[in-house]
Amino acid sequence: MAKLVSKTYGEALFETAMEDQRERELLAEIQTVSQILKENPELDKLMNHPGVSKQEKVRVIEQIFQGRVSDELTGFLKVVVDKERYKELPAIFQYFIDRVKEVSGIGVAYVTTPTELSDTQKESVKERLLATTSYQTMEMNYQTDTSLIGGMVIRIGDRVVDSSIRTKLSDLTKQLLQIQLG
């Protein structure tokens, strides 16, 4: 359900931005608002508190953001609060950010390896991903997981390429267990 809400609201926000050709501007505002919300957990508590009325929450949004961000984004925040979807705001914003990156040709890759890659290796992985995808630029996120033993796992969106030795050993184990001795 939460994914449907974030997609519905995020897509509406995205389409509004595209109609006005303001997706980059709105992206910057959303990143700023997201940072403000992360840095102020008290605001999150207030906005999610059941004892505070919707009208009061809308007033808080107006006081904080009106005049500081675009009227479209302020209005959007007020609708989200009015429809009691404030808890979904991070997912809505993430959906919007992902859509803007998608139409801008920016890919986001998560690369997991058993050991830290050198700068040369990182650049090589990035160049290979750019060559094999339709993205013009790539945001790279590297992490290590020693349980992979060797190889790497690359995730871009919902696509995963797993060439880790851990997975190969797991597949081999499954195959060996399926062999029936005569």
Side-chain angles (χ1 to χ4, degrees), residues 126-156:
K126 182 177 180 179
E127 287 174 12
R128 181 82 171 133
L129 290 175
L130 285 170
T132 58
T133 63
S134 60
Y135 298 112
Q136 285 86 38
T137 60
M138 191 70 71
E139 288 181 9
M140 303 298 292
N141 299 285
Y142 295 97
Q143 49 192 317
T144 58
D145 179 357
T146 56
S147 72
L148 294 181
I149 304 170
M152 68 177 59
V153 177
I154 301 172
R155 183 174 63 82
I156 301 174

Coordinates of all heavy atoms in Angstrom, one line a residue, residues 126-156:
K126 N 32.5 1.8 -13.4 CA 31.6 2.9 -13.8 C 31.5 3.0 -15.3 O 30.5 3.1 -15.9 CB 32.0 4.2 -13.2 CG 31.1 5.4 -13.5 CD 31.6 6.7 -12.8 CE 30.7 7.8 -13.2 NZ 31.1 9.1 -12.5
E127 N 32.7 3.0 -15.9 CA 32.8 3.1 -17.4 C 32.1 1.9 -18.1 O 31.4 2.0 -19.1 CB 34.2 3.1 -17.9 CG 34.9 4.5 -17.6 CD 36.4 4.5 -17.9 OE1 36.9 3.5 -18.6 OE2 37.1 5.4 -17.5
R128 N 32.2 0.7 -17.5 CA 31.6 -0.5 -18.1 C 30.1 -0.4 -17.9 O 29.3 -0.7 -18.9 CB 32.1 -1.7 -17.3 CG 31.5 -3.0 -17.8 CD 32.2 -3.5 -19.0 NE 31.8 -4.9 -19.3 CZ 31.4 -5.3 -20.5 NH1 31.5 -4.4 -21.5 NH2 31.0 -6.5 -20.7
L129 N 29.6 0.1 -16.8 CA 28.1 0.3 -16.6 C 27.6 1.3 -17.6 O 26.5 1.1 -18.2 CB 27.8 0.7 -15.2 CG 28.0 -0.4 -14.2 CD1 27.8 0.1 -12.7 CD2 27.1 -1.6 -14.4
L130 N 28.3 2.4 -17.8 CA 27.9 3.4 -18.8 C 27.8 2.9 -20.2 O 26.9 3.2 -21.0 CB 28.7 4.7 -18.7 CG 28.5 5.6 -17.5 CD1 29.6 6.6 -17.4 CD2 27.2 6.2 -17.5
A131 N 28.8 2.0 -20.5 CA 28.8 1.4 -21.8 C 27.7 0.4 -22.1 O 27.3 0.2 -23.2 CB 30.2 0.8 -22.1
T132 N 27.3 -0.2 -21.0 CA 26.3 -1.3 -21.2 C 24.8 -0.9 -20.8 O 23.9 -1.7 -20.9 CB 26.6 -2.5 -20.3 OG1 26.7 -2.1 -19.0 CG2 27.9 -3.1 -20.8
T133 N 24.7 0.4 -20.5 CA 23.3 0.9 -20.1 C 23.0 2.1 -21.0 O 23.9 2.6 -21.7 CB 23.2 1.3 -18.7 OG1 24.1 2.4 -18.4 CG2 23.5 0.1 -17.7
S134 N 21.8 2.6 -20.9 CA 21.5 3.8 -21.7 C 21.7 5.1 -20.9 O 21.3 6.2 -21.4 CB 20.0 3.7 -22.1 OG 19.2 3.6 -21.0
Y135 N 22.3 5.0 -19.7 CA 22.5 6.2 -18.9 C 23.6 7.1 -19.4 O 24.6 6.5 -19.9 CB 22.7 5.9 -17.5 CG 21.5 5.2 -16.8 CD1 21.6 3.8 -16.5 CD2 20.3 5.8 -16.6 CE1 20.5 3.2 -15.9 CE2 19.3 5.2 -16.1 CZ 19.4 3.8 -15.7 OH 18.3 3.2 -15.1
Q136 N 23.5 8.4 -19.3 CA 24.6 9.3 -19.7 C 25.6 9.5 -18.6 O 26.8 9.7 -18.8 CB 24.1 10.7 -20.1 CG 23.4 10.7 -21.5 CD 21.9 10.3 -21.4 OE1 21.2 10.7 -20.5 NE2 21.5 9.6 -22.4
T137 N 25.1 9.5 -17.3 CA 26.0 9.5 -16.2 C 25.5 8.5 -15.1 O 24.4 8.0 -15.2 CB 25.9 10.9 -15.5 OG1 24.6 11.2 -15.1 CG2 26.4 12.0 -16.4
M138 N 26.4 8.2 -14.2 CA 26.1 7.2 -13.2 C 26.5 7.6 -11.9 O 27.6 8.1 -11.7 CB 26.8 5.9 -13.6 CG 26.4 4.7 -12.9 SD 24.8 4.0 -13.3 CE 25.0 3.4 -14.9
E139 N 25.6 7.5 -10.9 CA 25.9 7.8 -9.5 C 26.3 6.4 -8.9 O 25.5 5.5 -8.9 CB 24.7 8.4 -8.7 CG 24.4 9.8 -9.1 CD 23.2 10.3 -8.3 OE1 22.7 9.6 -7.3 OE2 22.7 11.4 -8.6
M140 N 27.5 6.4 -8.4 CA 28.0 5.1 -7.9 C 28.0 5.0 -6.4 O 28.4 6.0 -5.7 CB 29.4 4.9 -8.4 CG 29.6 4.9 -10.0 SD 28.6 3.6 -10.8 CE 29.5 2.2 -10.3
N141 N 27.5 3.9 -5.9 CA 27.5 3.7 -4.4 C 28.3 2.4 -4.2 O 27.8 1.3 -4.6 CB 26.1 3.6 -3.9 CG 25.3 4.9 -4.1 OD1 25.6 5.9 -3.5 ND2 24.5 4.9 -5.1
Y142 N 29.4 2.4 -3.5 CA 30.2 1.2 -3.3 C 30.1 0.8 -1.8 O 30.1 1.6 -0.9 CB 31.7 1.5 -3.6 CG 31.9 1.8 -5.1 CD1 32.0 3.1 -5.5 CD2 32.0 0.8 -6.0 CE1 32.2 3.4 -6.9 CE2 32.2 1.0 -7.3 CZ 32.3 2.3 -7.8 OH 32.5 2.6 -9.1
Q143 N 30.0 -0.5 -1.6 CA 30.0 -1.1 -0.2 C 30.8 -2.4 -0.3 O 30.9 -3.0 -1.3 CB 28.6 -1.2 0.3 CG 27.6 -1.8 -0.6 CD 26.2 -1.6 -0.1 OE1 26.0 -1.8 1.1 NE2 25.3 -1.4 -1.0
T144 N 31.2 -2.8 0.9 CA 31.9 -4.1 1.0 C 31.1 -5.1 1.8 O 30.4 -4.7 2.7 CB 33.3 -4.0 1.6 OG1 33.2 -3.4 2.9 CG2 34.2 -3.1 0.7
D145 N 31.2 -6.4 1.4 CA 30.5 -7.5 2.2 C 31.5 -8.7 2.0 O 31.5 -9.3 0.9 CB 29.2 -7.8 1.6 CG 28.4 -8.9 2.3 OD1 29.0 -9.5 3.2 OD2 27.3 -9.2 1.9
T146 N 32.2 -9.0 3.0 CA 33.2 -10.1 3.0 C 32.6 -11.4 2.7 O 33.2 -12.4 2.2 CB 34.0 -10.1 4.3 OG1 33.2 -10.3 5.4 CG2 34.9 -8.9 4.4
S147 N 31.3 -11.6 3.0 CA 30.6 -12.9 2.8 C 30.5 -13.2 1.3 O 30.2 -14.4 0.9 CB 29.2 -12.9 3.4 OG 28.3 -12.1 2.7
L148 N 30.7 -12.2 0.4 CA 30.7 -12.5 -1.1 C 31.8 -13.4 -1.5 O 31.8 -14.0 -2.6 CB 30.7 -11.2 -1.9 CG 29.5 -10.3 -1.7 CD1 29.7 -9.1 -2.6 CD2 28.2 -11.0 -2.1
I149 N 32.9 -13.4 -0.8 CA 34.1 -14.2 -1.0 C 34.9 -13.6 -2.2 O 36.1 -13.3 -2.1 CB 33.9 -15.7 -1.2 CG1 33.1 -16.3 0.0 CG2 35.2 -16.4 -1.4 CD1 32.6 -17.7 -0.3
G150 N 34.3 -13.4 -3.3 CA 34.9 -12.8 -4.5 C 33.8 -12.4 -5.5 O 32.6 -12.6 -5.2
G151 N 34.2 -11.7 -6.6 CA 33.2 -11.2 -7.5 C 32.6 -10.0 -7.0 O 33.1 -9.2 -6.2
M152 N 31.4 -9.7 -7.5 CA 30.6 -8.5 -7.1 C 29.2 -8.6 -7.4 O 28.8 -9.5 -8.2 CB 31.2 -7.2 -7.8 CG 31.0 -7.1 -9.3 SD 31.6 -5.6 -10.0 CE 33.3 -5.5 -9.6
V153 N 28.4 -7.8 -6.7 CA 26.9 -7.7 -7.0 C 26.7 -6.3 -7.4 O 27.1 -5.3 -6.7 CB 26.1 -8.1 -5.7 CG1 24.6 -7.9 -6.0 CG2 26.5 -9.5 -5.3
I154 N 26.0 -6.1 -8.5 CA 25.6 -4.7 -9.0 C 24.1 -4.6 -9.1 O 23.5 -5.5 -9.6 CB 26.2 -4.5 -10.4 CG1 27.8 -4.6 -10.3 CG2 25.8 -3.1 -10.9 CD1 28.4 -4.5 -11.7
R155 N 23.6 -3.6 -8.4 CA 22.1 -3.3 -8.5 C 21.9 -1.9 -9.1 O 22.4 -1.0 -8.6 CB 21.5 -3.4 -7.1 CG 20.0 -3.3 -7.2 CD 19.3 -3.5 -5.8 NE 19.7 -2.6 -4.8 CZ 19.2 -1.4 -4.6 NH1 18.3 -0.9 -5.4 NH2 19.7 -0.6 -3.6
I156 N 21.1 -1.9 -10.1 CA 20.6 -0.6 -10.7 C 19.1 -0.7 -10.8 O 18.6 -1.5 -11.6 CB 21.2 -0.4 -12.1 CG1 22.8 -0.4 -12.1 CG2 20.7 0.9 -12.7 CD1 23.4 -0.3 -13.5

